[in-house]
Amino acid sequence: MTAPSSAVLDDLKAALGSGGWTQDPDVVAPFLTEWRNRWTGNTPILLTPRSTEEVARAVAICAREGVAITPQGGGTGLVGGQIPFGEVLLSLKKLRAIRDVTPLDDAMTVEAGLTLLEAQQAATAAGRYFPLSLAAEGSATIGGVISTNAGGTQVLRYGMMRDLVLGVEAVMPNGEVFNGLKRLRKDNTGYDLKHLFIGAEGTLGVVTAATLKLFPIMRSRAVAIVGLETAAASVELLARAKAETGGGVEAFELMKRLGMELVLKTIPDTREPLESTPEWYVLIEIASGTPGGAEAQLERLLEAAFEQGLINDAALAQNDAQRAAFWRLREEHSAALKPEGGGWKHDVSVPISRIADFIDEASAAVERFHPGARISVFGHVGDGNLHYDILPGVGQDIPAFIGRWKEGSQVVHDVVARYDGSISAEHGLGRLKTDEVKRYKTPLEIETMAAIRLAIDPRRIMNPAVLF
């Protein structure tokens, strides 16, 4: 990696003009630290372009000189891919325009720095629904969730971010602009190039705008939290829910008792949702195009689940405030684990039918490796994505525990591999998992991805520490 000379820095400053860059340490500092404080990086300059043209000018200068760039969206990633270590830091936060909303096409074109929440609100204002939802949606940006192919809580019905993108505008590693902002649902004219940028973590170019799919607004929604004795029962309940609603299940979120206890202990204004204290909870959200339809479907589902013995307790949200309170119990899990002094966090996926088996086998393996460790499991049963987090046991030496995270993560990931799963379901690889994933990818997979990158970014200036 070539460090930018003073002449290159001067060129970048001139290209972006006043307000398009800063070297003020106080301004730059918040961009350099990952949310969990796991990485704190450094950069010779923070670029804050205000248009695609300014991004292109900056990238062209860096390409000419072989200077590496780390693109950054909202900075909410959890695997360190957005943190620079000597690279030029390129923030997309100022690209915030809503370029076009076309309800008849069920499409919306927005710039990369718009937050996910703002995109949702723009869709709602146009009488449509943009379904991607995750806990960090108030700060996560469209460019970031495209670059990591984020999933969130609605994947069961609407798919990952890859499934929600119709077109992409991106600045290539040589500074040229790829203009692929189409609203087409069908285009069989060769490789669908937009998919190269989705999930590429900024390694093949800088996403500057995207055309997104929109959907009708559902006429009714219903939310419940239920208690179960086993994780296996949640998989059976999901199958029952799909059959009962004909595909109306939008979210199906599993939570282990430990995580719920930590949320209730740590997060203000939260309360136990059920009269009992079950070992497992599931949050279910159903949506319907018929007024009152979701409520009726959920009530039938719960009645049948009680009769079958799949659940032993349930609470049905009676209004929007209760619905939000139930969702908060799920969304605050990560924040609630943070005060426990550090943990081995895993974002994995396995086939839905094997979720319970995976949890049992991984938990047994962790107990053998580090007796007494506490395990918190939460995540999206509907797509097999689990956040499998391991915390130090009560009274255990926290620094010593943290020091074993690499070996402990390998214990978990080896079990994931035996179940034909993935060690990164929705957060990407970043700095955290780029080396480790080579243990699980075949040589052909690695060679093919490396060949694609070499063809598009031969000087490896785009996010050089990430991927192959």
Side-chain angles (χ1 to χ4, degrees):
M1 181 177 71
T2 301
S5 65
S6 58
V8 170
L9 293 176
D10 288 342
D11 286 348
L12 290 170
K13 294 173 186 178
L16 271 63
S18 177
W21 61 274
T22 182
Q23 292 176 301
D24 184 331
D26 293 333
V27 176
V28 175
F31 293 81
L32 299 178
T33 301
E34 181 258 354
W35 180 76
R36 291 182 296 182
N37 298 316
R38 189 164 196 164
W39 292 275
T40 297
N42 61 88
T43 183
I45 191 169
L46 168 62
L47 304 181
T48 56
R50 292 145 295 195
S51 67
T52 298
E53 292 72 22
E54 288 190 354
V55 175
R57 288 201 293 268
V59 173
I61 292 168
C62 291
R64 182 189 72 207
E65 303 293 337
V67 171
I69 303 167
T70 296
Q72 186 179 109
T76 60
L78 298 179
V79 292
Q82 77 277 29
I83 304 300
F85 283 83
E87 300 91 4
V88 167
L89 180 57
L90 180 65
S91 170
L92 281 297
K93 281 193 172 183
K94 290 184 178 178
L95 274 68
R96 300 176 45 77
I98 299 170
R99 295 188 185 176
D100 181 57
V101 182
T102 314
L104 290 179
D105 287 326
D106 284 325
M108 172 175 68
T109 299
V110 302
E111 292 187 340
L114 197 73
T115 68
L116 180 54
L117 179 60
E118 290 167 336
Q120 295 167 355
Q121 292 169 339
T124 300
R128 292 294 187 269
Y129 177 55
F130 183 65
L132 190 76
S133 179
L134 41 84
E137 61 193 25
S139 50
T141 62
I142 292 299
V145 296
I146 288 174
S147 294
T148 58
N149 189 28
T153 58
Q154 314 297 85
V155 171
L156 174 59
R157 188 168 191 173
Y158 297 100
M160 301 281 283
M161 191 63 180
R162 184 181 300 281
D163 302 298
L164 300 173
V165 176
L166 291 170
V168 164
E169 176 189 87
V171 175
M172 305 294 287
N174 63 0
E176 291 186 78
V177 178
F178 168 73
N179 188 358
L181 291 176
K182 296 182 178 181
R183 298 198 297 266
L184 300 177
R185 305 296 172 123
K186 291 184 174 180
D187 181 2
N188 275 330
T189 54
Y191 302 131
D192 195 344
L193 296 178
K194 68 175 180 287
H195 287 295
L196 287 174
F197 304 101
I198 304 171
E201 301 186 50
T203 59
L204 301 181
V206 182
V207 173
T208 52
T211 300
L212 308 175
K213 291 181 184 178
L214 303 181
F215 297 84
I217 295 176
M218 295 290 102
R219 303 291 296 278
S220 62
R221 288 183 178 274
V223 175
I225 288 184
V226 304
L228 312 92
E229 293 184 2
T230 66
S234 72
V235 176
E236 295 182 45
L237 181 62
L238 173 62
R240 178 82 194 197
K242 289 178 179 178
E244 178 65 45
T245 65
V249 183
E250 290 212 347
F252 199 92
E253 299 290 299
L254 182 68
M255 298 168 280
K256 198 171 188 287
R257 177 65 194 169
L258 174 61
M260 184 66 76
E261 288 176 347
L262 294 177
V263 169
L264 298 174
K265 167 187 170 184
T266 306
I267 306 301
D269 302 319
T270 55
R271 59 186 296 271
E272 173 65 52
L274 302 176
E275 292 184 3
S276 62
T277 54
E279 182 62 19
W280 294 95
Y281 299 76
V282 166
L283 184 153
I284 308 168
E285 179 162 343
I286 292 172
S288 171
T290 303
E295 294 85 348
Q297 288 177 337
L298 186 52
E299 288 173 4
R300 288 197 301 269
L301 170 64
L302 297 181
E303 182 179 350
F306 271 117
E307 291 177 356
Q308 290 184 339
L310 291 178
I311 64 176
N312 51 34
D313 203 352
L316 184 64
Q318 300 299 313
N319 50 51
D320 288 344
Q322 287 187 356
R323 176 175 175 267
F326 283 179
W327 267 109
R328 190 163 180 245
L329 293 172
R330 162 61 183 88
E331 291 171 343
E332 294 287 1
H333 262 62
S334 291
L337 269 58
K338 194 174 181 180
E340 293 300 299
W344 311 335
K345 301 179 74 67
H346 308 92
D347 159 42
V348 303
S349 63
V350 296
I352 296 169
S353 63
R354 307 304 303 278
I355 283 176
D357 294 335
F358 161 74
I359 292 172
D360 289 344
E361 184 175 338
S363 299
V366 168
E367 177 62 22
R368 290 192 297 270
F369 176 76
H370 196 96
R374 296 172 295 161
I375 297 170
S376 171
V377 181
F378 62 98
H380 325 302
V381 176
D383 52 52
N385 176 197
L386 298 176
H387 300 289
Y388 188 92
D389 297 342
I390 305 169
L391 304 174
V394 176
Q396 289 187 345
D397 185 301
I398 292 177
F401 174 84
I402 294 174
R404 305 191 77 192
W405 75 266
K406 283 188 177 181
E407 295 86 352
S409 290
Q410 184 174 311
V411 168
V412 174
H413 290 159
D414 283 352
V415 179
V416 171
R418 285 198 291 277
Y419 283 84
D420 292 325
S422 169
I423 71 167
S424 180
E426 62 181 358
H427 289 158
L429 295 175
R431 293 178 177 272
L432 181 64
K433 298 179 182 179
T434 286
D435 287 335
E436 185 184 9
V437 80
K438 296 173 184 176
R439 176 181 174 89
Y440 307 104
K441 290 282 188 186
T442 66
L444 177 60
E445 289 176 297
I446 294 172
E447 290 166 8
T448 302
M449 285 191 276
I452 292 171
R453 182 167 188 170
L454 181 64
I456 295 174
D457 181 16
R459 302 189 73 177
R460 200 180 177 90
I461 69 165
M462 303 304 301
N463 220 358
V466 175
L467 304 188
F468 310 113

